[in-house]
Amino acid sequence: MPPAAPRSGDAIFASVERVNAELFTLTYGAIVRQLLTDLEEVEEVNKQLDQMGYNIGIRLIDEFLAKSNVSRCVDFKETAEMIAKVGFKMFLGVTASVMNWDADGTCCSIVLEDNPLVDFVELPDTCQGLYYCNILSGVIRGALEMVAMKTEVTWIRDMLRGDDAYELQVKLLKQVPEEYPYKDDE
Amino acid sequence: MQFFGGSEISPSPPTPTTTTGNNAHMIYIFNRNGVCLLYREWNRPLHTLNPQQDHKLMFGLLFSLKSLASKMDPTSADKGNLGVPQLPGQGCSFHSFRTNTYKLSFMETPSGIKFILVTNPRTSDLRETLKYIYNLYVEYVAKNPLYTPGTPIRCGLFNTAVDQYVRSI
């Protein structure tokens, strides 16, 4: 039997169970508020959000692979397209686009016009250094690490700080091939 | 509470042409570091090694077979030397081998999770079965907040679900 073809983001998004978008947005907002109250320092909150995202990402990758049925991406370009078109669509219901490729194809930007995490959100003056959606950068970093790619993900543009879109820069640091884990003398 | 609606996962693949009941002998699930996440057996009359050695042997066997299969690939142009580590999923990967007494089916995901199912030799292609088990893994294990990735799976529901599904192969 030939293996099934990979499914498009829309098809999977239509078939998974969804939660109310407002519930999701408000829950995320409550998490960030609580972190700010507990940790008080904006940098600490950014780091914590990234760590939470990383923990989500390492599990999310299996769900993504199982539901979308993709085989291994040939290069980083394909990986970025997968994240933007299938991944974001499947989990957040929005499509992102990939742009600003650098010369060796190891660094790109993923641009989100529309972001369900930030509906109803305004940053007060006391939290100006906060990357509100930092959980997303952790998720991407965690997920890619489980498929053998070490990356660095940073925010370039953030609408909560006055820019016109959300832009994440994803930079591939290295690919980690699989090695035989046992020592030969055991 | 239902964990997943029927429409999400592709419907159970058609049962292969064998009699009902005990078709499967055992299942192993490994992660990319060689940790055996799950080992269940249903029908294994002969035990030759203790469990640790058995897991290492199985993992080593598959690692070598994969490497060998991808180096012998006549269709691929670029091959490293034998023994050079490959990214999971890159190059060709074998999916089963059969002897006169059993058939071993294998599936590896790009995230490094390896599923091995040993059944009787008359079962047909089990790739869809292994995909279904991967979906079960996602629902019961990956989404389980009490499970730490990289450690052996101790989840009763997952074991029951796998047992039940495998019994129907």
Side-chain angles (χ1 to χ4, degrees):
Chain A
M1 191 188 323
R7 300 163 71 194
S8 76
D10 295 312
I12 312 170
F13 186 62
S15 66
V16 299
E17 274 176 25
R18 278 161 280 172
V19 296
N20 183 314
E22 277 154 25
L23 178 63
F24 178 62
T25 308
L26 293 172
T27 306
Y28 184 68
I31 293 176
V32 179
R33 280 212 54 186
Q34 191 59 44
L35 281 173
L36 280 167
T37 316
D38 288 343
L39 300 170
E40 285 166 26
E41 277 257 352
V42 162
E43 263 318 300
E44 280 301 311
V45 176
N46 284 340
K47 263 201 287 208
Q48 188 70 359
L49 282 173
D50 186 77
Q51 185 58 33
M52 284 166 64
Y54 179 80
N55 289 331
I56 293 178
I58 60 182
R59 297 161 189 264
L60 197 85
I61 183 69
D62 278 317
E63 185 176 356
F64 175 74
L65 290 170
K67 298 223 163 91
S68 68
N69 225 351
V70 298
S71 56
R72 177 145 202 109
C73 292
V74 174
D75 58 11
F76 190 58
K77 288 203 155 94
E78 199 180 332
T79 309
E81 286 291 323
M82 270 291 141
I83 298 175
K85 300 281 178 292
V86 185
F88 272 102
K89 182 76 198 170
M90 189 169 144
F91 291 108
L92 291 178
V94 297
T95 320
S97 44
V98 186
M99 32 185 99
N100 298 347
W101 279 104
D102 73 342
D104 3 293
T106 55
C107 184
C108 68
S109 291
I110 297 185
V111 178
L112 287 159
E113 304 289 327
D114 168 34
N115 186 345
L117 292 174
V118 301
D119 292 338
F120 326 127
V121 176
E122 249 178 49
L123 282 185
D125 296 326
T126 49
C127 306
Q128 280 309 313
L130 182 68
Y131 286 113
Y132 187 81
C133 307
N134 216 24
I135 207 168
L136 291 179
S137 64
V139 171
I140 295 181
R141 187 170 63 90
L144 286 177
E145 189 162 318
M146 295 306 277
V147 282
M149 287 185 243
K150 274 202 144 38
T151 51
E152 197 182 304
V153 185
T154 43
W155 286 99
I156 307 279
R157 283 190 281 168
D158 190 338
M159 268 166 114
L160 293 175
R161 297 181 174 203
D163 302 312
D164 51 350
Y166 293 94
E167 186 176 334
L168 267 171
Q169 184 187 61
V170 184
K171 189 168 148 77
L172 175 68
L173 298 172
K174 62 178 195 168
Q175 306 236 16
V176 188
E178 196 172 329
E179 294 195 343
Y180 190 64
Y182 304 122
K183 302 210 189 343
D184 283 333
D185 52 11
E186 282 176 358
Chain B
M1 171 164 61
Q2 206 185 14
F3 276 94
F4 43 86
S7 55
E8 284 173 35
I9 303 182
S10 57
S12 287
T15 54
T17 56
T18 46
T19 53
T20 56
N22 274 339
N23 278 329
H25 294 280
M26 49 229 213
I27 187 171
Y28 295 79
I29 303 181
F30 288 101
N31 78 354
R32 54 159 30 142
N33 296 326
V35 175
C36 182
L37 303 178
L38 184 78
Y39 167 66
R40 285 186 81 65
E41 63 181 42
W42 300 285
N43 181 13
R44 186 177 188 177
L46 177 67
H47 288 85
T48 47
L49 299 168
N50 76 39
Q52 273 73 23
Q53 287 177 317
D54 187 52
H55 299 328
K56 267 171 75 166
L57 179 68
M58 185 56 81
F59 185 81
L61 167 74
L62 290 161
F63 192 88
S64 312
L65 265 178
K66 251 187 341 150
S67 189
L68 189 68
S70 91
K71 295 308 174 298
M72 280 178 61
D73 186 359
T75 61
S76 108
D78 150 56
K79 293 177 247 195
N81 294 320
L82 190 63
V84 166
Q86 292 266 320
L87 301 169
Q90 189 182 45
C92 76
S93 57
F94 80 99
H95 51 85
S96 63
F97 69 75
R98 195 198 318 240
T99 69
N100 57 340
T101 48
Y102 67 91
K103 177 176 180 174
L104 183 145
S105 309
F106 172 71
M107 181 180 88
E108 184 180 19
T109 69
S111 56
I113 310 283
K114 306 179 199 335
F115 293 86
I116 296 123
L117 189 60
V118 178
T119 57
N120 78 46
R122 280 163 291 129
T123 47
S124 58
D125 189 24
L126 288 175
R127 275 181 282 182
E128 290 301 314
T129 309
L130 288 170
K131 279 216 184 79
Y132 191 81
I133 297 181
Y134 185 37
N135 275 299
L136 286 179
Y137 169 84
V138 163
E139 290 299 324
Y140 288 101
V141 180
K143 289 189 179 175
N144 186 344
L146 299 174
Y147 169 70
T148 320
T151 58
I153 299 172
R154 304 231 180 286
C155 172
L157 274 175
F158 179 60
N159 293 344
T160 321
V162 167
D163 284 347
Q164 223 173 6
Y165 178 64
V166 164
R167 213 167 294 135
S168 71
I169 301 178

